[in-house]
Amino acid sequence: MLDGLDDIDWETLIHAYGPASDIPDDLRALLSPDEKTATNALWRLFGNIHHQGTVYMATPPAIPFLTESALALPPDRAAGVVDLLSAMLDYAADLMIEDGLTVAAFREKMRA
């Protein structure tokens, strides 16, 4: 589970509050058997990688891990993760359509 998470140089990626070095811990915490720990991690992820409807450099690399987590969690806990993924997808699709971006151009924009 979460294979490759530590292969990403999160420290060089940015989220709403600076370096994204905290993202791996929050992604792991989503899978915690303790519901409060998982809920707090989801709250932090919403605030960090989808802050006020904006996505950041750290958002795209988190998507596969969020998807894997949603598939592994029971439906009641997966719903919040799916909400986060949906919100990020909505933003990305709107941006791509409004700016006429290809997938490659969108990825490049997220790296900037």
Side-chain angles (χ1 to χ4, degrees):
M1 179 73 42
L2 304 180
D3 292 340
L5 182 62
D6 294 325
D7 295 338
I8 297 169
D9 189 1
W10 294 99
E11 183 69 31
T12 64
L13 301 176
I14 303 298
H15 62 46
Y17 297 101
S21 56
D22 54 343
I23 298 301
D25 288 341
D26 285 333
L27 289 168
R28 286 185 184 95
L30 285 177
L31 300 170
S32 172
D34 180 65
E35 191 169 338
K36 183 175 181 178
T37 297
T39 299
N40 288 339
L42 181 62
W43 180 258
R44 284 189 302 272
L45 287 165
F46 257 106
N48 289 338
I49 61 175
H50 187 64
H51 183 71
Q52 296 180 351
T54 302
V55 297
Y56 301 86
M57 290 173 60
T59 305
I63 291 172
F65 303 109
L66 290 166
T67 303
E68 184 178 31
S69 297
L71 293 169
L73 291 168
D76 60 321
R77 297 221 1 236
V81 179
V82 171
D83 286 345
L84 175 55
L85 286 165
S86 177
M88 291 186 302
L89 177 60
D90 186 48
Y91 172 85
D94 285 349
L95 182 64
M96 289 176 72
I97 291 167
E98 289 172 10
D99 292 351
L101 299 175
T102 63
V103 172
F106 176 76
R107 286 182 180 155
E108 189 60 37
K109 185 172 184 129
M110 289 298 100
R111 286 188 194 107

